Amino acid sequence: MDADSDGKLSKEEFVALGPLLDPPMSQGSMLPLFSEADADGDGFVSPEELPGPAAAGAEGDEADEASDDGPRLADRELAAYRRVPAIASGTAELVLTLRPDVKVPRPSELSKDVGEAFQAELGKQLGLDVNLASAESVGDGGTVRSVLLMWTADAEDGGAVQATLQSRATAIEKAVEERVTGLGAPWMRGGTAELWLGCSLDFYGPGAASLPRGSKLVRKLGVQKDRQAAHSLDARAGGGAEARP
């Protein structure tokens, strides 16, 4: 951190950010970044010169808030992930609020319809062939139902998926919600849908070992409405897919 509050980071202050990053970075890893970031060679790094990892650690509360959705990679970091294959996997929860006068279908039918809509739209938004591992409807029989989903996909360019998740998070969220509310099913008319989604990208292959933020990236979209349900879904998923050798 900027210990002396002079608006820039000395080499010592810059290197001290390493353990605060996610994943942490050693002194040996931070020193080359400092030399690269110190574009004018004055022995200090200004806010304009900060690379992605250090900038995230130096921005204080604003960066901490953004980190709830997962690490946000700078353009130069994203470039390192481009064309590196990855296994995309995750969990999702769609919270449906239905009109009180509609006849709610059986859980199996509701899960099937919502799951297929989710699968199709997420695949379209990410440019992936999404496989739906499971879809389960939970709720107390009232007007609010949650559909819990587990999904996977093979990504030839994992960096492109990460870039899409970073730049189009709100648009993806809205598109999936609109796809579900637009099902045309009588029980969904006049209802609403809210999405929470977690995505893990496990990079593999020759280039995965040297990636700047490691071989695993996680992003989250939306607001988690039913944390207990989502956590139980994560437990069933076994912590996500393993990276291929």
Side-chain angles (χ1 to χ4, degrees):
M1 298 295 183
D2 185 12
D4 54 9
S5 301
D6 62 353
K8 52 190 177 182
L9 298 178
S10 67
K11 181 183 292 186
E12 292 74 17
E13 291 171 334
F14 185 91
V15 170
L17 288 172
L20 305 178
L21 302 178
D22 184 14
M25 296 182 68
S26 67
Q27 178 177 338
S29 298
M30 292 295 289
L31 285 173
L33 286 177
F34 178 85
S35 299
E36 180 182 350
D38 184 16
D40 57 11
D42 66 350
F44 295 90
V45 174
S46 65
E48 294 78 14
E49 294 174 320
L50 280 173
E59 289 172 356
D61 294 339
E62 182 177 351
D64 290 341
E65 182 178 350
S67 70
D68 289 343
D69 297 328
R72 185 174 184 85
L73 276 61
D75 289 345
R76 73 176 107 186
E77 292 178 298
L78 276 173
Y81 284 85
R82 290 286 190 172
R83 293 176 293 281
V84 180
I87 300 295
S89 63
T91 59
E93 179 180 12
L94 274 157
V95 178
L96 311 178
T97 303
L98 310 178
R99 288 173 45 188
D101 58 338
V102 302
K103 181 180 179 181
V104 181
R106 292 176 299 175
S108 58
E109 180 184 347
L110 186 147
S111 299
K112 178 178 180 295
D113 290 347
V114 172
E116 289 177 351
F118 168 84
Q119 178 183 16
E121 191 60 36
L122 184 64
K124 175 182 176 182
Q125 294 297 318
L126 297 182
L128 299 175
D129 183 11
V130 171
N131 302 304
L132 194 61
S134 71
E136 178 184 351
S137 174
V138 297
D140 59 5
T143 59
V144 178
R145 301 294 179 92
S146 288
V147 179
L148 310 179
L149 307 117
M150 294 171 54
W151 62 277
T152 64
D154 286 319
E156 294 183 3
D157 188 344
V161 177
Q162 174 71 15
T164 300
L165 290 169
Q166 287 189 185
S167 63
R168 302 192 63 254
T170 301
I172 294 170
E173 182 183 348
K174 183 178 179 181
V176 173
E177 291 171 349
E178 290 182 347
R179 181 70 171 254
V180 172
T181 56
L183 276 171
W187 50 267
M188 195 66 241
R189 290 173 188 163
T192 63
E194 294 180 86
L195 172 71
W196 175 86
L197 179 141
C199 175
S200 172
L201 290 168
D202 291 276
F203 293 83
Y204 63 93
S210 59
L211 294 171
R213 295 287 189 104
S215 60
K216 185 183 185 75
L217 298 175
V218 176
R219 294 292 297 176
K220 299 175 184 177
L221 283 66
V223 178
Q224 211 165 344
K225 295 293 184 180
D226 187 345
R227 294 185 180 275
Q228 183 176 355
H231 288 171
S232 68
L233 187 59
D234 285 337
R236 254 177 286 151
E242 295 183 359
R244 289 183 178 177

